[in-house]
Amino acid sequence: MERKYLVVGSAALMAVFGVVFGFATAVPLILVSGGLFTLASNVFSDAIHTYLPESFPTSVRGTASGTTYSLSKLSTAVQPFLLLPLLDRRGPGAVFTVITVALVTMVVIIGLWGPISGRKPLDAE
């Protein structure tokens, strides 16, 4: 499967399952949606870590991949300071709404402008 579409599809599933999980009150729904979110998240993680380097031309691949990966780790370090107060004040639904907005934004950006990978190098003629 084309990695671009695997990234987009798994992120879209994370958005759906995350919102269900965030607003669920019944234990079975919490368990099922949480499990499906985790499954989609694992597929997404594998796909994005493969897709990301393929999104850059070979000449800048190392630098570009390293920079974007480092920025993702910095954003991961900042997230608890933003999301935990939101969780405390508004609950899990609000947290997963914020996460869903970020995921949908990423799905749109990659869906519209992300390169198709896995067929040939970006700098191939």
Side-chain angles (χ1 to χ4, degrees), residues 10-97:
S10 60
L13 288 174
M14 287 171 57
V16 170
F17 297 137
V19 166
V20 172
F21 178 80
F23 287 99
T25 56
V27 172
L29 189 55
I30 292 170
L31 294 174
V32 170
S33 61
L36 290 172
F37 178 87
T38 301
L39 179 63
S41 175
N42 287 335
V43 171
F44 171 80
S45 180
D46 290 341
I48 196 73
H49 283 96
T50 304
Y51 178 72
L52 182 64
E54 294 175 344
S55 299
F56 301 106
T58 305
S59 62
V60 296
R61 185 167 289 163
T63 301
S65 296
T67 300
T68 55
Y69 191 75
S70 297
L71 290 172
S72 78
K73 292 301 156 192
L74 287 173
S75 71
T76 300
V78 171
Q79 284 175 9
F81 297 104
L82 302 174
L83 295 179
L84 287 176
L86 182 63
L87 177 65
D88 188 43
R89 285 192 287 264
R90 303 282 184 178
V95 170
F96 276 95
T97 298

